[in-house]
Amino acid sequence: MKRILILGSSGGNLYNLGGKDPKSLLEAVVRQVQSTTETEIAAIHFVAVDASLDFAKPTTAAHLWSWNGQEPVIIAEGTLKEIDKVAQEHDQKMADLIDSNQVDGLILMSADPAGTNKKAITAAIKHHIIAAGTGGTSMSNAQKMGLDVVAVSGTTGTTNETRAVSAMFALTKKWQIKYSPLIGGTDKDNNGASQNIWQNISLRGILMACLPAFITMAITLLISKIPGIPKSTNALFDIMLNGLPVIISAVAAKQISGLNDIAICAGVIAGLFSTKGGLIGGIICGIMAGILVSVIFKKCLQWHFPGTTANICAGSFAGLISGLTGYYLIAHLSAKLGDFLQFILNTAIAINPILAGAVAGFIIFPAILTGCYHAIFLPLIMLQMSKYGNSFLGAIDMCSLIMVATGINLANVLYPQKPSDRALAVPGLFINLLFGTYAESVYPFILSNKLEMIGTLICSTLAGCVVGLFNVSGTAYVPSFLGPAMSNNWLGFLLAMLTGIVSAFIMVLLINKLEKGKLS
């Protein structure tokens, strides 16, 4: 088991690249050290200052971080002058740890070889302890003292994660230990990216994260329709429309690679080249950028590139390769595919809009109950919105799903079967009305009563018929009172909304009265 000592400070340049949040910075290193069973944390000696050390004063607030065996913790607080004194005393403990052969390697981040880390680094030199780290000036001074540095880099262009991965790559390679970086999440919370990059590809995850961009685009369309607004505001919608592939590409690259800043940069570069490919082009190029940025970054570290250089190469080359591939090979094909899907949707609606609305309205509740909504409905809604700013299926979403759910909640608030139903329905009612999302709030009602489920399908179908009758396009995920204004036909949209909410309200009211009659 190799034991690693972490030494450093929040630094000057480092302060603006992660040092101002020492807990996250240290936890990023701890994660990488603990990612292999053959390495562990020996100790932490880290001075965190509430300002960049380039501008800090002796009276600036500071903290000394250490290791309690499970996580980084603060062991002293005070002014920088006071903490420096405590840190120098603590430095002797780090040196004693090295002298007692309890340290095998150092990870340095803006360390102070001539001050608060002098004794520890001197002991490391004496015992031929290897080190890796960042901080151009501090690492240079440590090397001049004779420290065996196996990897060194400046801080510019690095992140908490890439610094930690870079240092661990160097140390584990020297020790001939197998190391697989944990990138983009933690085993503890499972919220981050999987170690198998292919498992991170989720169309649903990408599109849901991009939903604010689609709603913003719909709002710009609404602004351009306001009477008296200058025609120049039409450009706002065009800007959002052209920017969508860039946003989608950046989100896709970040989610897939888990590398945050450099992945976002790669995704933006790829997206800029893929704008002609529309929504589908942005998704494909973003996925490519996410895969490539992770592969290139790891390869650069294996080839002993400095952390800054690894970041630059990964972000720029992943973005450029993906972007040029998108520009010359994918954009045309993805645009054609998008147009073909649009053609199928538009043709189905044109043949019989009422039937199309009825079918879409009928299946939308089963779709959300089975998980098909996010796999089929949402991508098609966003595909239409990416071209027109609103969507026929978006109108179905609001009128047949959200408004029907609102009607169900309203009936259970005013005339519930039992008092507990009212408390259950109130939050759903207000969320659906104010935010245009939370159809799941009616699950307890429709899943526990077959009659209510059948009635729900009938109501959603009726609302879909009205959407088709007026050939309405719109969107959900906005306050219900804004829905008509953001549609292509405010009166038709309003009537479809009222059909959904009123029919569902009457249906549940009658069922609740029937059920109460049975109980009495």
Side-chain angles (χ1 to χ4, degrees):
M1 178 70 76
K2 298 294 184 181
R3 292 169 58 80
I4 296 172
L5 171 61
I6 301 170
L7 301 176
S9 72
S10 53
N13 190 24
L14 176 60
Y15 180 80
N16 298 308
L17 294 169
K20 66 174 64 177
D21 184 3
K23 183 176 175 62
S24 297
L25 183 149
L26 293 170
E27 284 177 345
V29 181
V30 170
R31 279 187 60 227
Q32 299 305 325
V33 173
Q34 293 180 338
S35 66
T36 168
T37 56
E38 297 183 69
T39 57
E40 66 179 5
I41 301 291
I44 293 175
H45 179 62
F46 190 89
V47 176
V49 186
D50 288 1
S52 166
L53 285 175
D54 293 333
F55 307 104
K57 300 176 181 178
T59 54
T60 303
H63 309 81
L64 180 62
W65 287 78
S66 186
W67 176 249
N68 68 359
Q70 294 182 326
E71 61 181 355
V73 292
I74 295 173
I75 60 169
E77 300 181 64
T79 64
L80 178 56
K81 184 177 180 180
E82 293 167 343
I83 292 299
D84 270 345
K85 291 180 181 178
V86 177
Q88 287 174 14
E89 295 170 4
H90 200 253
D91 184 31
Q92 182 59 55
K93 294 180 181 178
M94 301 300 102
D96 293 341
L97 207 60
I98 295 170
D99 288 334
S100 59
N101 296 318
Q102 294 187 55
V103 174
D104 300 290
L106 305 181
I107 291 180
L108 308 179
M109 293 174 289
S110 296
D112 184 7
T116 54
N117 303 123
K118 182 177 181 179
K119 294 175 183 176
I121 290 175
T122 301
I125 295 168
K126 176 183 174 183
H127 293 277
H128 306 289
I129 303 295
I130 61 173
T134 57
T137 303
S138 65
M139 292 302 294
S140 176
N141 290 336
Q143 285 178 298
K144 285 178 185 177
M145 291 171 64
L147 185 65
D148 184 5
V149 176
V150 294
V152 61
S153 171
T155 304
T156 302
T158 62
T159 66
N160 290 344
E161 190 165 53
T162 59
R163 280 190 297 274
V165 171
S166 177
M168 279 298 291
F169 253 117
L171 294 176
T172 52
K173 182 159 187 159
K174 187 73 173 179
W175 291 325
Q176 297 184 329
I177 291 173
K178 186 179 179 181
Y179 166 60
S180 297
L182 286 176
I183 294 177
T186 67
D187 289 338
K188 185 177 179 181
D189 58 25
N190 276 329
N191 289 329
S194 164
Q195 288 308 291
N196 183 346
I197 201 165
W198 300 101
Q199 293 178 0
N200 298 335
I201 300 174
S202 167
L203 183 61
R204 171 184 175 178
I206 294 167
L207 291 178
M208 286 302 292
C210 294
L211 192 56
F214 285 88
I215 299 302
T216 301
M217 183 177 66
I219 292 171
T220 60
L221 183 63
L222 169 63
I223 292 170
S224 67
K225 291 180 178 180
I226 297 173
I229 290 289
K231 289 185 178 180
S232 60
T233 55
N234 291 334
L236 298 176
F237 176 73
D238 294 333
I239 291 169
M240 281 302 304
L241 194 62
N242 293 328
L244 272 180
V246 181
I247 296 168
I248 291 165
S249 177
V251 169
K254 178 183 179 296
Q255 286 190 2
I256 289 162
S257 71
L259 280 171
N260 296 322
D261 295 352
I262 58 171
I264 292 171
C265 185
V268 169
I269 295 169
L272 287 169
F273 284 104
S274 67
T275 51
K276 291 183 179 179
L279 175 74
I280 297 173
I283 291 171
I284 295 172
C285 289
I287 290 172
M288 287 178 58
I291 293 170
L292 285 174
V293 76
S294 181
V295 171
I296 294 172
F297 176 70
K298 291 178 182 178
K299 283 296 178 186
C300 286
L301 294 179
Q302 289 173 357
W303 295 334
H304 298 290
F305 282 28
T308 298
T309 308
N311 272 24
I312 292 170
C313 288
S316 58
F317 285 113
L320 187 62
I321 293 168
S322 305
L324 292 179
T325 303
Y327 187 79
Y328 288 109
L329 298 178
I330 295 170
H332 180 70
L333 294 174
S334 62
K336 290 293 183 186
L337 177 59
D339 289 342
F340 177 68
L341 292 173
Q342 295 275 15
F343 172 76
I344 293 174
L345 278 171
N346 293 338
T347 301
I349 295 166
I351 290 172
N352 193 326
I354 296 175
L355 179 61
V359 171
F362 179 79
I363 65 174
I364 194 165
F365 261 99
I368 198 169
L369 284 165
T370 58
C372 294
Y373 170 86
H374 294 97
I376 300 172
F377 259 86
L378 189 63
L380 291 175
I381 289 170
M382 291 188 167
L383 181 64
Q384 285 189 304
M385 288 186 70
S386 69
K387 191 173 182 72
Y388 307 114
N390 47 39
S391 162
F392 181 83
L393 293 177
I396 295 290
D397 193 340
M398 174 64 92
C399 302
S400 294
L401 185 67
I402 301 303
M403 287 300 101
V404 168
T406 302
I408 294 170
N409 282 322
L410 180 60
N412 281 300
V413 168
L414 298 179
Y415 195 80
Q417 288 186 32
K418 50 186 183 292
S420 59
D421 287 352
R422 179 178 286 114
L424 203 59
V426 168
L429 173 63
F430 284 101
I431 292 172
N432 281 312
L433 284 173
L434 295 176
F435 303 105
T437 176
Y438 196 23
E440 297 85 351
S441 61
V442 300
Y443 285 3
F445 307 117
I446 65 175
L447 294 178
S448 62
N449 189 310
K450 288 183 181 179
L451 243 145
E452 205 159 313
M453 172 61 86
I454 294 168
T456 298
L457 295 177
I458 293 170
C459 295
S460 62
T461 303
L462 286 173
C465 288
V466 179
V467 169
L469 177 64
F470 292 96
N471 200 6
V472 175
S473 292
T475 182
Y477 300 100
V478 296
S480 58
F481 58 85
L482 284 179
M486 297 176 72
S487 71
N488 64 336
N489 182 336
W490 72 267
L491 181 59
F493 196 91
L494 180 61
L495 289 173
M497 286 176 66
L498 290 173
T499 301
I501 193 169
V502 172
S503 63
F505 174 77
I506 294 171
M507 178 267 296
V508 175
L509 199 66
L510 293 174
I511 291 173
N512 286 354
K513 283 191 174 183
L514 182 67
E515 293 295 333
K516 276 192 169 185
K518 287 180 181 179
L519 291 173
S520 61

